[in-house]
Short mmCIF file of all heavy atoms in Angstrom, two decimals:
data_model
loop_
_atom_site.label_atom_id
_atom_site.label_comp_id
_atom_site.label_asym_id
_atom_site.label_seq_id
_atom_site.Cartn_x
_atom_site.Cartn_y
_atom_site.Cartn_z
N GLY A 480 -38.93 -48.32 100.11
CA GLY A 480 -38.93 -46.88 100.29
C GLY A 480 -39.30 -46.17 99.00
O GLY A 480 -38.84 -46.54 97.92
N VAL A 481 -40.17 -45.17 99.12
CA VAL A 481 -40.60 -44.33 98.00
C VAL A 481 -40.32 -42.90 98.39
O VAL A 481 -40.65 -42.46 99.49
CB VAL A 481 -42.11 -44.50 97.73
CG1 VAL A 481 -42.55 -43.57 96.60
CG2 VAL A 481 -42.45 -45.94 97.41
N ARG A 482 -39.72 -42.15 97.47
CA ARG A 482 -39.46 -40.73 97.77
C ARG A 482 -39.60 -39.92 96.49
O ARG A 482 -39.09 -40.30 95.44
CB ARG A 482 -38.06 -40.53 98.36
CG ARG A 482 -37.82 -39.11 98.86
CD ARG A 482 -36.51 -38.98 99.59
NE ARG A 482 -36.38 -37.67 100.21
CZ ARG A 482 -36.78 -37.38 101.42
NH1 ARG A 482 -37.33 -38.32 102.17
NH2 ARG A 482 -36.64 -36.18 101.91
N LYS A 483 -40.30 -38.79 96.60
CA LYS A 483 -40.49 -37.91 95.46
C LYS A 483 -40.38 -36.46 95.92
O LYS A 483 -41.02 -36.04 96.89
CB LYS A 483 -41.86 -38.12 94.81
CG LYS A 483 -42.11 -37.21 93.60
CD LYS A 483 -43.47 -37.46 93.00
CE LYS A 483 -43.69 -36.59 91.76
NZ LYS A 483 -43.73 -35.15 92.12
N ASN A 484 -39.56 -35.70 95.23
CA ASN A 484 -39.40 -34.27 95.49
C ASN A 484 -40.01 -33.47 94.35
O ASN A 484 -39.95 -33.88 93.19
CB ASN A 484 -37.91 -33.90 95.63
CG ASN A 484 -37.26 -34.59 96.80
OD1 ASN A 484 -37.85 -34.71 97.87
ND2 ASN A 484 -36.04 -35.07 96.61
N GLY A 485 -40.61 -32.33 94.69
CA GLY A 485 -41.18 -31.47 93.67
C GLY A 485 -42.53 -31.93 93.21
O GLY A 485 -43.01 -33.02 93.54
N GLY A 486 -43.20 -31.08 92.44
CA GLY A 486 -44.53 -31.40 91.94
C GLY A 486 -45.62 -31.02 92.92
O GLY A 486 -45.35 -30.55 94.03
N ALA A 487 -46.87 -31.22 92.50
CA ALA A 487 -48.00 -30.86 93.35
C ALA A 487 -48.08 -31.73 94.59
O ALA A 487 -48.51 -31.29 95.66
CB ALA A 487 -49.30 -30.95 92.56
N LEU A 488 -47.67 -33.02 94.47
CA LEU A 488 -47.72 -33.94 95.60
C LEU A 488 -46.35 -34.59 95.75
O LEU A 488 -45.90 -35.32 94.87
CB LEU A 488 -48.79 -35.02 95.37
CG LEU A 488 -49.06 -35.96 96.54
CD1 LEU A 488 -49.64 -35.20 97.72
CD2 LEU A 488 -50.02 -37.07 96.11
N SER A 489 -45.69 -34.32 96.87
CA SER A 489 -44.36 -34.86 97.11
C SER A 489 -44.35 -35.56 98.47
O SER A 489 -45.33 -35.55 99.20
CB SER A 489 -43.31 -33.74 97.07
OG SER A 489 -43.61 -32.74 98.05
N GLY A 490 -43.20 -36.15 98.80
CA GLY A 490 -43.10 -36.79 100.10
C GLY A 490 -42.42 -38.14 100.04
O GLY A 490 -41.72 -38.47 99.07
N HIS A 491 -42.62 -38.95 101.08
CA HIS A 491 -42.00 -40.27 101.14
C HIS A 491 -42.93 -41.27 101.81
O HIS A 491 -43.79 -40.90 102.61
CB HIS A 491 -40.65 -40.21 101.86
CG HIS A 491 -40.76 -39.75 103.29
ND1 HIS A 491 -40.34 -38.50 103.71
CD2 HIS A 491 -41.24 -40.37 104.40
CE1 HIS A 491 -40.56 -38.38 105.02
NE2 HIS A 491 -41.10 -39.50 105.46
N ILE A 492 -42.72 -42.55 101.48
CA ILE A 492 -43.43 -43.66 102.09
C ILE A 492 -42.38 -44.73 102.40
O ILE A 492 -41.72 -45.23 101.49
CB ILE A 492 -44.52 -44.25 101.17
CG1 ILE A 492 -45.54 -43.16 100.78
CG2 ILE A 492 -45.22 -45.42 101.84
CD1 ILE A 492 -46.58 -43.66 99.78
N TYR A 493 -42.23 -45.08 103.68
CA TYR A 493 -41.32 -46.13 104.09
C TYR A 493 -42.13 -47.27 104.71
O TYR A 493 -43.04 -47.03 105.50
CB TYR A 493 -40.29 -45.61 105.10
CG TYR A 493 -39.46 -44.46 104.58
CD1 TYR A 493 -39.22 -43.33 105.36
CD2 TYR A 493 -38.92 -44.49 103.30
CE1 TYR A 493 -38.47 -42.28 104.89
CE2 TYR A 493 -38.16 -43.43 102.82
CZ TYR A 493 -37.93 -42.33 103.62
OH TYR A 493 -37.19 -41.28 103.14
N ASP A 494 -41.77 -48.49 104.33
CA ASP A 494 -42.55 -49.65 104.77
C ASP A 494 -41.59 -50.79 105.13
O ASP A 494 -40.63 -51.05 104.41
CB ASP A 494 -43.49 -50.09 103.63
CG ASP A 494 -44.38 -51.24 104.02
OD1 ASP A 494 -45.41 -50.99 104.66
OD2 ASP A 494 -44.05 -52.39 103.68
N ALA A 495 -41.85 -51.46 106.26
CA ALA A 495 -41.06 -52.61 106.68
C ALA A 495 -41.99 -53.65 107.29
O ALA A 495 -42.96 -53.29 107.97
CB ALA A 495 -39.99 -52.21 107.68
N ARG A 496 -41.71 -54.93 107.05
CA ARG A 496 -42.55 -55.99 107.59
C ARG A 496 -41.77 -57.28 107.77
O ARG A 496 -40.80 -57.54 107.05
CB ARG A 496 -43.76 -56.23 106.69
CG ARG A 496 -43.45 -56.49 105.24
CD ARG A 496 -44.70 -56.57 104.39
NE ARG A 496 -44.41 -56.85 102.99
CZ ARG A 496 -44.32 -55.92 102.05
NH1 ARG A 496 -44.50 -54.65 102.37
NH2 ARG A 496 -44.05 -56.25 100.81
N VAL A 497 -42.20 -58.08 108.74
CA VAL A 497 -41.63 -59.39 109.00
C VAL A 497 -42.79 -60.37 109.07
O VAL A 497 -43.84 -60.05 109.64
CB VAL A 497 -40.80 -59.40 110.29
CG1 VAL A 497 -41.62 -58.93 111.48
CG2 VAL A 497 -40.23 -60.79 110.57
N GLY A 498 -42.63 -61.57 108.47
CA GLY A 498 -43.77 -62.47 108.41
C GLY A 498 -43.39 -63.93 108.32
O GLY A 498 -42.22 -64.30 108.16
N VAL A 499 -44.42 -64.78 108.40
CA VAL A 499 -44.27 -66.23 108.27
C VAL A 499 -45.29 -66.73 107.26
O VAL A 499 -46.36 -66.13 107.07
CB VAL A 499 -44.47 -66.94 109.63
CG1 VAL A 499 -43.41 -66.51 110.62
CG2 VAL A 499 -45.87 -66.67 110.19
N GLU A 500 -44.96 -67.83 106.61
CA GLU A 500 -45.87 -68.49 105.67
C GLU A 500 -45.98 -69.96 106.04
O GLU A 500 -44.98 -70.61 106.37
CB GLU A 500 -45.34 -68.38 104.24
CG GLU A 500 -45.17 -66.98 103.71
CD GLU A 500 -44.52 -67.00 102.35
OE1 GLU A 500 -45.14 -67.51 101.39
OE2 GLU A 500 -43.37 -66.53 102.22
N TRP A 501 -47.19 -70.48 105.94
CA TRP A 501 -47.43 -71.90 106.21
C TRP A 501 -48.41 -72.43 105.18
O TRP A 501 -49.49 -71.84 104.98
CB TRP A 501 -47.97 -72.11 107.62
CG TRP A 501 -48.34 -73.53 107.91
CD1 TRP A 501 -47.55 -74.64 107.74
CD2 TRP A 501 -49.59 -74.00 108.41
NE1 TRP A 501 -48.23 -75.78 108.12
CE2 TRP A 501 -49.49 -75.42 108.54
CE3 TRP A 501 -50.78 -73.37 108.79
CZ2 TRP A 501 -50.55 -76.20 109.01
CZ3 TRP A 501 -51.83 -74.16 109.26
CH2 TRP A 501 -51.71 -75.55 109.36
N PHE A 502 -48.04 -73.52 104.52
CA PHE A 502 -48.88 -74.13 103.49
C PHE A 502 -49.31 -75.52 103.93
O PHE A 502 -48.57 -76.50 103.72
CB PHE A 502 -48.12 -74.20 102.16
CG PHE A 502 -47.97 -72.89 101.47
CD1 PHE A 502 -46.88 -72.07 101.74
CD2 PHE A 502 -48.91 -72.45 100.55
CE1 PHE A 502 -46.73 -70.85 101.12
CE2 PHE A 502 -48.78 -71.23 99.92
CZ PHE A 502 -47.68 -70.42 100.21
N PRO A 503 -50.48 -75.64 104.56
CA PRO A 503 -50.97 -76.98 104.89
C PRO A 503 -51.36 -77.78 103.66
O PRO A 503 -51.45 -79.01 103.71
CB PRO A 503 -52.18 -76.69 105.79
CG PRO A 503 -52.62 -75.32 105.41
CD PRO A 503 -51.37 -74.58 105.02
N TRP A 504 -51.62 -77.10 102.55
CA TRP A 504 -51.88 -77.72 101.26
C TRP A 504 -50.85 -77.22 100.26
O TRP A 504 -50.24 -76.17 100.45
CB TRP A 504 -53.29 -77.40 100.78
CG TRP A 504 -54.35 -77.82 101.74
CD1 TRP A 504 -54.86 -79.07 101.91
CD2 TRP A 504 -54.99 -76.98 102.70
NE1 TRP A 504 -55.80 -79.07 102.91
CE2 TRP A 504 -55.91 -77.80 103.41
CE3 TRP A 504 -54.90 -75.62 103.03
CZ2 TRP A 504 -56.71 -77.30 104.43
CZ3 TRP A 504 -55.69 -75.11 104.04
CH2 TRP A 504 -56.58 -75.95 104.72
N GLN A 505 -50.66 -77.93 99.20
CA GLN A 505 -49.59 -77.61 98.26
C GLN A 505 -49.73 -76.20 97.67
O GLN A 505 -48.75 -75.46 97.56
CB GLN A 505 -49.56 -78.64 97.11
CG GLN A 505 -48.54 -78.36 96.04
CD GLN A 505 -47.12 -78.31 96.58
OE1 GLN A 505 -46.79 -79.00 97.54
NE2 GLN A 505 -46.26 -77.49 95.96
N ALA A 506 -50.94 -75.82 97.31
CA ALA A 506 -51.14 -74.54 96.61
C ALA A 506 -51.84 -73.48 97.43
O ALA A 506 -51.96 -72.34 97.00
CB ALA A 506 -51.92 -74.78 95.31
N VAL A 507 -52.31 -73.83 98.62
CA VAL A 507 -53.08 -72.89 99.44
C VAL A 507 -52.49 -72.85 100.84
O VAL A 507 -52.21 -73.90 101.43
CB VAL A 507 -54.58 -73.29 99.50
CG1 VAL A 507 -55.35 -72.29 100.36
CG2 VAL A 507 -55.17 -73.37 98.10
N GLY A 508 -52.31 -71.64 101.36
CA GLY A 508 -51.74 -71.50 102.68
C GLY A 508 -52.16 -70.22 103.36
O GLY A 508 -53.11 -69.53 102.94
N ILE A 509 -51.44 -69.89 104.42
CA ILE A 509 -51.72 -68.72 105.25
C ILE A 509 -50.43 -67.92 105.43
O ILE A 509 -49.35 -68.49 105.62
CB ILE A 509 -52.27 -69.15 106.63
CG1 ILE A 509 -53.58 -69.91 106.48
CG2 ILE A 509 -52.48 -67.92 107.53
CD1 ILE A 509 -54.06 -70.53 107.77
N GLY A 510 -50.55 -66.62 105.37
CA GLY A 510 -49.43 -65.74 105.66
C GLY A 510 -49.80 -64.77 106.76
O GLY A 510 -50.91 -64.24 106.78
N ALA A 511 -48.89 -64.57 107.71
CA ALA A 511 -49.11 -63.62 108.81
C ALA A 511 -47.87 -62.76 108.93
O ALA A 511 -46.74 -63.27 108.89
CB ALA A 511 -49.41 -64.34 110.12
N GLU A 512 -48.07 -61.45 109.08
CA GLU A 512 -46.93 -60.55 109.19
C GLU A 512 -47.24 -59.37 110.10
O GLU A 512 -48.41 -59.08 110.38
CB GLU A 512 -46.50 -60.04 107.81
CG GLU A 512 -47.49 -59.11 107.15
CD GLU A 512 -47.05 -58.65 105.77
OE1 GLU A 512 -46.40 -59.44 105.05
OE2 GLU A 512 -47.37 -57.50 105.40
N TYR A 513 -46.19 -58.71 110.54
CA TYR A 513 -46.33 -57.46 111.29
C TYR A 513 -45.62 -56.38 110.49
O TYR A 513 -44.46 -56.55 110.09
CB TYR A 513 -45.74 -57.56 112.69
CG TYR A 513 -46.09 -56.38 113.56
CD1 TYR A 513 -47.22 -56.40 114.36
CD2 TYR A 513 -45.30 -55.22 113.56
CE1 TYR A 513 -47.57 -55.31 115.14
CE2 TYR A 513 -45.65 -54.13 114.33
CZ TYR A 513 -46.79 -54.18 115.13
OH TYR A 513 -47.14 -53.09 115.89
N GLY A 514 -46.32 -55.28 110.22
CA GLY A 514 -45.76 -54.23 109.38
C GLY A 514 -45.79 -52.86 110.03
O GLY A 514 -46.63 -52.58 110.89
N VAL A 515 -44.88 -52.01 109.59
CA VAL A 515 -44.79 -50.62 110.04
C VAL A 515 -44.62 -49.75 108.80
O VAL A 515 -43.77 -50.03 107.95
CB VAL A 515 -43.60 -50.40 111.00
CG1 VAL A 515 -43.47 -48.93 111.36
CG2 VAL A 515 -43.74 -51.25 112.24
N SER A 516 -45.44 -48.71 108.68
CA SER A 516 -45.35 -47.77 107.56
C SER A 516 -45.30 -46.35 108.10
O SER A 516 -46.04 -46.01 109.02
CB SER A 516 -46.55 -47.92 106.61
OG SER A 516 -46.60 -49.20 106.04
N ARG A 517 -44.46 -45.54 107.49
CA ARG A 517 -44.35 -44.12 107.82
C ARG A 517 -44.54 -43.34 106.53
O ARG A 517 -43.77 -43.48 105.58
CB ARG A 517 -43.00 -43.79 108.46
CG ARG A 517 -42.77 -44.50 109.79
CD ARG A 517 -43.73 -44.01 110.84
NE ARG A 517 -43.58 -44.68 112.12
CZ ARG A 517 -44.36 -45.65 112.56
NH1 ARG A 517 -45.35 -46.08 111.79
NH2 ARG A 517 -44.15 -46.20 113.73
N ILE A 518 -45.59 -42.52 106.50
CA ILE A 518 -45.98 -41.80 105.28
C ILE A 518 -45.99 -40.31 105.56
O ILE A 518 -46.62 -39.86 106.52
CB ILE A 518 -47.37 -42.25 104.80
CG1 ILE A 518 -47.39 -43.77 104.55
CG2 ILE A 518 -47.78 -41.51 103.53
CD1 ILE A 518 -48.76 -44.34 104.30
N HIS A 519 -45.30 -39.56 104.74
CA HIS A 519 -45.32 -38.09 104.82
C HIS A 519 -45.60 -37.56 103.42
O HIS A 519 -44.84 -37.82 102.48
CB HIS A 519 -43.99 -37.54 105.33
CG HIS A 519 -43.93 -36.03 105.29
ND1 HIS A 519 -44.53 -35.23 106.23
CD2 HIS A 519 -43.36 -35.19 104.39
CE1 HIS A 519 -44.32 -33.96 105.93
NE2 HIS A 519 -43.62 -33.90 104.82
N LEU A 520 -46.71 -36.87 103.26
CA LEU A 520 -47.08 -36.31 101.96
C LEU A 520 -47.26 -34.80 102.10
O LEU A 520 -47.81 -34.32 103.09
CB LEU A 520 -48.39 -36.93 101.46
CG LEU A 520 -48.40 -38.44 101.24
CD1 LEU A 520 -49.78 -38.90 100.83
CD2 LEU A 520 -47.36 -38.85 100.21
N LYS A 521 -46.83 -34.08 101.08
CA LYS A 521 -46.96 -32.62 101.08
C LYS A 521 -47.64 -32.20 99.79
O LYS A 521 -47.19 -32.55 98.69
CB LYS A 521 -45.60 -31.94 101.20
CG LYS A 521 -45.70 -30.42 101.27
CD LYS A 521 -44.34 -29.78 101.44
CE LYS A 521 -44.44 -28.25 101.50
NZ LYS A 521 -43.13 -27.60 101.62
N ARG A 522 -48.73 -31.49 99.94
CA ARG A 522 -49.44 -30.94 98.79
C ARG A 522 -49.06 -29.48 98.64
O ARG A 522 -49.30 -28.66 99.53
CB ARG A 522 -50.94 -31.10 98.98
CG ARG A 522 -51.75 -30.82 97.72
CD ARG A 522 -52.37 -29.46 97.72
NE ARG A 522 -53.21 -29.23 96.54
CZ ARG A 522 -53.93 -28.15 96.34
NH1 ARG A 522 -53.95 -27.19 97.25
NH2 ARG A 522 -54.64 -28.01 95.23
N ASN A 523 -48.44 -29.12 97.52
CA ASN A 523 -47.97 -27.77 97.28
C ASN A 523 -49.05 -26.98 96.53
O ASN A 523 -49.31 -27.22 95.36
CB ASN A 523 -46.68 -27.78 96.46
CG ASN A 523 -45.58 -28.56 97.15
OD1 ASN A 523 -45.22 -28.25 98.28
ND2 ASN A 523 -45.07 -29.59 96.49
N GLY A 524 -49.71 -26.05 97.25
CA GLY A 524 -50.75 -25.24 96.65
C GLY A 524 -50.24 -23.91 96.15
O GLY A 524 -49.04 -23.60 96.26
N ASP A 525 -51.14 -23.10 95.59
CA ASP A 525 -50.75 -21.79 95.07
C ASP A 525 -50.32 -20.85 96.20
O ASP A 525 -49.36 -20.09 96.05
CB ASP A 525 -51.91 -21.17 94.29
CG ASP A 525 -52.24 -21.97 93.03
OD1 ASP A 525 -51.31 -22.63 92.50
OD2 ASP A 525 -53.40 -21.94 92.59
N ALA A 526 -51.04 -20.87 97.31
CA ALA A 526 -50.72 -19.97 98.41
C ALA A 526 -50.43 -20.71 99.71
O ALA A 526 -49.68 -20.23 100.55
CB ALA A 526 -51.89 -18.99 98.64
N TYR A 527 -51.04 -21.89 99.89
CA TYR A 527 -50.88 -22.64 101.12
C TYR A 527 -50.42 -24.06 100.81
O TYR A 527 -50.78 -24.63 99.79
CB TYR A 527 -52.20 -22.70 101.90
CG TYR A 527 -52.51 -21.45 102.67
CD1 TYR A 527 -52.94 -20.29 102.02
CD2 TYR A 527 -52.37 -21.42 104.05
CE1 TYR A 527 -53.22 -19.14 102.72
CE2 TYR A 527 -52.65 -20.28 104.77
CZ TYR A 527 -53.08 -19.13 104.10
OH TYR A 527 -53.35 -18.00 104.81
N ASP A 528 -49.62 -24.61 101.72
CA ASP A 528 -49.19 -25.99 101.64
C ASP A 528 -49.90 -26.80 102.72
O ASP A 528 -50.23 -26.27 103.79
CB ASP A 528 -47.68 -26.13 101.85
CG ASP A 528 -46.89 -25.46 100.74
OD1 ASP A 528 -47.45 -25.31 99.64
OD2 ASP A 528 -45.72 -25.11 100.98
#
Side-chain angles (χ1 to χ4, degrees):
V481 178
R482 188 173 188 89
K483 180 180 182 295
N484 298 319
L488 187 65
S489 59
H491 61 253
I492 302 176
Y493 302 135
D494 183 82
R496 53 186 181 263
V497 56
V499 297
E500 300 174 66
W501 175 52
F502 286 89
W504 303 279
Q505 177 59 31
V507 180
I509 298 171
E512 68 181 34
Y513 190 91
V515 176
S516 298
R517 297 294 179 259
I518 302 170
H519 174 79
L520 300 177
K521 183 178 180 182
R522 191 259 183 176
N523 302 303
D525 294 333
Y527 281 74
D528 295 336

